[in-house]
């Protein structure tokens, strides 16, 4: 097995464990699972394969590492710090492959947890809150809290929209609007719903901006304006000739009658 294949296998295994545990730890299955130690540091082995590093990496990697350490010392937990370290150790990894892996695993676990909640294997915790509009029931669909479910929906929608940023614009836009409405109605997760709507609008804007540029790029604006000017001049001259001919015809007709 080559170094590249070993590197890809190592990244895939670690990411599968990280994403799976992150999804499950926010669900009602967390209490049933054994505690698995954090495996992100194992990705540090990847640096044995690299002999050259970019200047950008050499500048920002120590800064990110410092930020991760500060978060750990301030909070006492490694959750946020480990994901910052994950950004560092994923150096020279194809990020689209990482996103595809996350989208596939995330969608699978969300559907699995919602299904287990629907058949009452795990509870669907419901939180009753008072709003200005009245009493609101917030469903968690098998997750620990409604915003956990809504956040996963937002992240998965963002990743899928990015991966298919050049395709399925109508389907993605409709899905975003429907998903925002769903998490608002059933979870009352208004911040997540607003984020989904904002993401939908942003992807819609960039999709059409790119395609409008592609449509207009081949056009030679100078030739187009010259053509319009010539057409306008010809049209005006033609119309002027018609007026002159009509005037001559009328003048001739009047003299004949006289």
């Amino acid at each position: 097995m080559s170094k590249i294949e070993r590197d890809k296998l190592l990244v895939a295994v670690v990411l599968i464990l990280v994403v799976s545990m992150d999804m499950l730890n926010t669900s009602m299955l967390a209490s049933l699972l054994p505690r698995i130690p954090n495996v992100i540091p194992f990705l540090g082995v990847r640096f044995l394969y690299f002999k050259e590093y970019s200047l950008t990496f050499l500048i920002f990697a120590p800064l990110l590492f410092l930020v991760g350490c500060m978060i750990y010392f301030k909070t006492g937990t490694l959750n946020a710090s480990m994901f910052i370290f994950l950004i560092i150790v994923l150096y020279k990894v194809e990020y689209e492959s990482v996103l595809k892996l996350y989208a596939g695993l995330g969608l699978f676990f969300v559907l699995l947890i919602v299904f287990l909640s629907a058949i009452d294997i795990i509870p669907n915790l419901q939180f009753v809150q008072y709003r200005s509009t009245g009493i609101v029931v917030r469903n968690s669909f098998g997750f620990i809290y409604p915003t956990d479910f809504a956040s996963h929906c937002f992240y998965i929608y963002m990743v899928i929209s990015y991966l298919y940023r050049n395709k399925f614009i109508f389907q993605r836009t409709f899905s975003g609007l429907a998903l925002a409405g769903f998490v608002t109605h059933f979870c009352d997760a208004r911040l997540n719903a607003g984020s989904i709507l904002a993401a939908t609008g942003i992807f819609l804007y960039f999709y059409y901006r790119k395609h409008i540029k592609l449509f207009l790029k081949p056009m030679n604006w100078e030739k187009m304006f010259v053509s319009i000017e010539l057409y306008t001049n010809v049209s005006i001259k033609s119309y002027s000739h018609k007026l002159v001919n009509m005037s001559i015809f009328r003048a001739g007709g009047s003299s004949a009658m006289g």
Side-chain angles (χ1 to χ4, degrees), residues 9 30 61 71 146 153 200:
L9 180 61
I71 292 174
C153 291
T200 303

Side-chain angles (χ1 to χ4, degrees), residues 183-220:
V183 297
T184 300
H185 182 74
F186 290 101
C187 306
D188 193 41
R190 292 167 292 177
L191 180 60
N192 293 108
S195 300
I196 293 171
L197 289 176
T200 303
I202 290 170
F203 281 112
L204 189 66
Y205 166 74
F206 280 107
Y207 178 87
Y208 280 108
R209 190 186 74 162
K210 180 179 180 180
H211 282 72
I212 289 172
K213 283 185 176 181
L214 289 175
F215 175 74
L216 296 178
K217 187 176 180 180
M219 291 186 178
N220 189 318

Side-chain angles (χ1 to χ4, degrees), residues 192-256:
N192 293 108
S195 300
I196 293 171
L197 289 176
T200 303
I202 290 170
F203 281 112
L204 189 66
Y205 166 74
F206 280 107
Y207 178 87
Y208 280 108
R209 190 186 74 162
K210 180 179 180 180
H211 282 72
I212 289 172
K213 283 185 176 181
L214 289 175
F215 175 74
L216 296 178
K217 187 176 180 180
M219 291 186 178
N220 189 318
W221 289 99
E222 184 178 356
K223 289 183 179 179
M224 187 178 72
F225 285 124
V226 169
S227 300
I228 293 173
E229 185 178 0
L230 288 173
Y231 176 78
T232 305
N233 289 336
V234 170
S235 299
I236 292 173
K237 287 180 180 179
S238 176
Y239 185 68
S240 300
H241 286 309
K242 286 182 181 179
L243 290 177
V244 171
N245 291 334
M246 289 177 65
S247 299
I248 293 172
F249 176 76
R250 287 177 180 174
S254 299
S255 60

Side-chain angles (χ1 to χ4, degrees), residues 60-245:
F60 287 100
L63 292 176
L64 286 173
F65 183 79
L66 181 61
V67 169
C69 292
M70 291 176 63
I71 292 174
Y72 170 70
F73 286 119
K74 288 291 184 180
T75 62
T77 61
L78 278 171
N79 293 338
S81 300
M82 280 295 104
F83 282 99
I84 293 177
F85 298 150
L86 182 63
I87 296 173
I88 299 173
V89 295
L90 287 179
Y91 177 62
K92 288 189 176 181
V93 171
E94 293 182 3
Y95 282 99
E96 289 214 0
S97 64
V98 175
L99 294 178
K100 288 177 182 177
L101 183 63
Y102 171 79
L105 283 173
L107 188 60
F108 168 76
F109 279 113
V110 166
L111 294 177
L112 174 65
I113 293 167
V114 171
F115 174 73
L116 294 177
S117 172
I119 60 177
D120 294 327
I121 292 180
I122 57 176
N124 171 26
L125 299 181
Q126 293 182 315
F127 299 83
V128 179
Q129 292 186 342
Y130 294 92
R131 303 289 190 196
S132 58
T133 55
I135 298 176
V136 175
V137 178
R138 308 179 70 190
N139 296 276
S140 61
F141 296 107
F143 288 85
I144 295 174
Y145 200 67
T147 50
D148 289 321
F149 168 75
S151 296
H152 287 306
C153 291
F154 167 62
Y155 299 145
I156 293 170
Y157 175 76
M158 280 282 292
V159 171
I160 292 176
S161 293
Y162 176 78
L163 291 173
Y164 294 98
R165 57 193 177 276
N166 297 322
K167 300 178 182 178
F168 313 122
I169 185 62
F170 294 110
Q171 295 90 329
R172 289 191 289 109
T173 302
F174 177 77
S175 300
L177 296 175
L179 184 60
F182 182 87
V183 297
T184 300
H185 182 74
F186 290 101
C187 306
D188 193 41
R190 292 167 292 177
L191 180 60
N192 293 108
S195 300
I196 293 171
L197 289 176
T200 303
I202 290 170
F203 281 112
L204 189 66
Y205 166 74
F206 280 107
Y207 178 87
Y208 280 108
R209 190 186 74 162
K210 180 179 180 180
H211 282 72
I212 289 172
K213 283 185 176 181
L214 289 175
F215 175 74
L216 296 178
K217 187 176 180 180
M219 291 186 178
N220 189 318
W221 289 99
E222 184 178 356
K223 289 183 179 179
M224 187 178 72
F225 285 124
V226 169
S227 300
I228 293 173
E229 185 178 0
L230 288 173
Y231 176 78
T232 305
N233 289 336
V234 170
S235 299
I236 292 173
K237 287 180 180 179
S238 176
Y239 185 68
S240 300
H241 286 309
K242 286 182 181 179
L243 290 177
V244 171
N245 291 334

